[in-house]
Amino acid sequence: SICFSVIDRAEGVRHSLSAASLMLPWPATSTKVRRASRRIIGFSSIDVSCRITRLILSRQSAPLPSDKEAGMRLTLDEVEDLARDALRRAGASEGQAGPVARSLRRAEAEGIRSHGLLYLPVYAGHLRCGKVQGQAVPQVAQPRPGAVAVDAGHGFAHPAIAAGLPLLVQAARECGIAAMTLRRSYNCGVLGHHAADLAAQGLIGLCFTHAPASIAPPGGRVPVIGTNPFALAVPGAPGE
C-alpha cells in the first residue's frame, strides 16, 4: 500500500551484488547467476546489472548485449532503453515497462544505485515468476472529491501512480487538500521521485509507504520494524 497526500533528495543505499542476486526469486536465481555474481564484484552498478540481466534473460531468443557491450558506459537514453527492453522480454506490457524504465533512468541520473539498474534483474525476475503482473492495467476511482484510489492490479506501482496523479493534482487544487492511495501494487522504487512530480505541479505533499520488517530494534537481533519510507515535497521555482 502506498499513500500520497506528495521530495526530498533521496540518497541511495549501496547493496552488495550478492544481496541483489539473493533478492531474485529462487527459480530465477540460478546457480549460473549466483556464480556470476561472485565473479563480477567490483564492477560498476551498470556493468553488474547488464551482466546479471543478460543471464536472467538468457532463455529469450532475441539478441542480448555482449560482455564487451555490457561493460561500456551507457547514456541515460541507453539506460532507459535497456530497462524497457529487459522488462518487456520478462513479460511486462509497454504500459507497465515504460514508467519503470523511466524511474530506473531517473535513479541512475541521480546516483541512487540501489534503485537504478541494479534493481532491474529483481524486477525482471519477479515478472517472470508471477510476483508482478506484467499486463496489469491500473484502475482509478474518486470516491470523494478530495480522495483518489488506485488499484494497481498486482502490477508495478509506477504506472498506477502515473495513472492517478493527474486526478490527484486536480482534486488538490479544487479542494485545497487531497489524498491518493494505492493498493495491490509492487514497490514504487524511489518514493521521492513521485513526490517530486507533485512538487513540480506547485503542490506541497507527503508520500509514505509500508516496508517489510528489516531492522532489529536497539538491543535486539530479530528484524521487526521497517525503514519507514517517506518523502516530503516542497515546490521551488516553477516546475521544481
Side-chain angles (χ1 to χ4, degrees):
S1 300
I2 303 170
C3 184
F4 291 75
S5 68
V6 236
I7 168 176
D8 57 355
R9 296 190 185 91
E11 295 185 359
V13 178
R14 292 172 180 262
H15 292 287
S16 67
L17 180 58
S18 58
S21 177
L22 292 174
M23 287 172 68
L24 295 172
W26 184 250
T29 313
S30 65
T31 301
K32 187 176 182 182
V33 172
R34 294 196 298 275
R35 287 177 179 172
S37 70
R38 290 194 291 269
R39 287 202 307 268
I40 57 181
I41 289 178
F43 286 78
S44 70
S45 63
I46 290 181
D47 183 37
V48 165
S49 301
C50 290
R51 290 171 182 239
I52 295 180
T53 302
R54 290 180 62 245
L55 291 172
I56 292 174
L57 303 178
S58 60
R59 298 177 185 176
Q60 304 295 330
S61 58
L64 295 168
S66 66
D67 285 338
K68 181 178 180 181
E69 291 171 330
M72 296 173 61
R73 290 184 177 274
L74 302 177
T75 66
L76 291 177
D77 285 343
E78 290 170 334
V79 167
E80 185 175 339
D81 290 344
L82 169 65
R84 180 184 288 102
D85 186 53
L87 294 169
R88 292 300 304 275
R89 295 189 197 185
S93 66
E94 176 58 33
Q96 288 285 315
V100 178
R102 289 190 290 274
S103 174
L104 295 177
R105 170 190 179 135
R106 202 167 173 178
E108 288 290 346
E110 297 178 5
I112 309 175
R113 295 183 176 182
S114 61
H115 289 68
L117 282 180
L118 190 63
Y119 221 126
L120 181 56
V122 181
Y123 288 158
H126 286 174
L127 280 165
R128 294 186 64 175
C129 77
K131 184 174 182 178
V132 183
Q133 298 300 314
Q135 302 299 312
V137 178
Q139 302 298 315
V140 181
Q142 191 173 13
R144 296 288 187 277
V148 178
V150 185
D151 182 350
H154 298 295
F156 288 109
H158 308 70
I161 293 170
L165 196 62
L167 193 56
L168 174 62
V169 171
Q170 179 182 339
R173 287 175 175 161
E174 292 177 353
C175 301
I177 187 172
M180 180 173 79
T181 60
L182 265 68
R183 68 186 184 96
R184 300 202 304 164
S185 78
Y186 189 74
N187 83 61
C188 65
V190 179
L191 186 61
H193 285 167
H194 308 294
D197 292 338
L198 284 171
Q201 296 290 330
L203 300 175
I204 296 173
L206 177 67
C207 302
F208 53 93
T209 180
H210 70 289
S214 57
I215 301 172
R221 295 184 177 181
V222 179
V224 295
I225 57 178
T227 54
N228 191 31
F230 72 93
L232 175 66
V234 178
E240 296 182 357

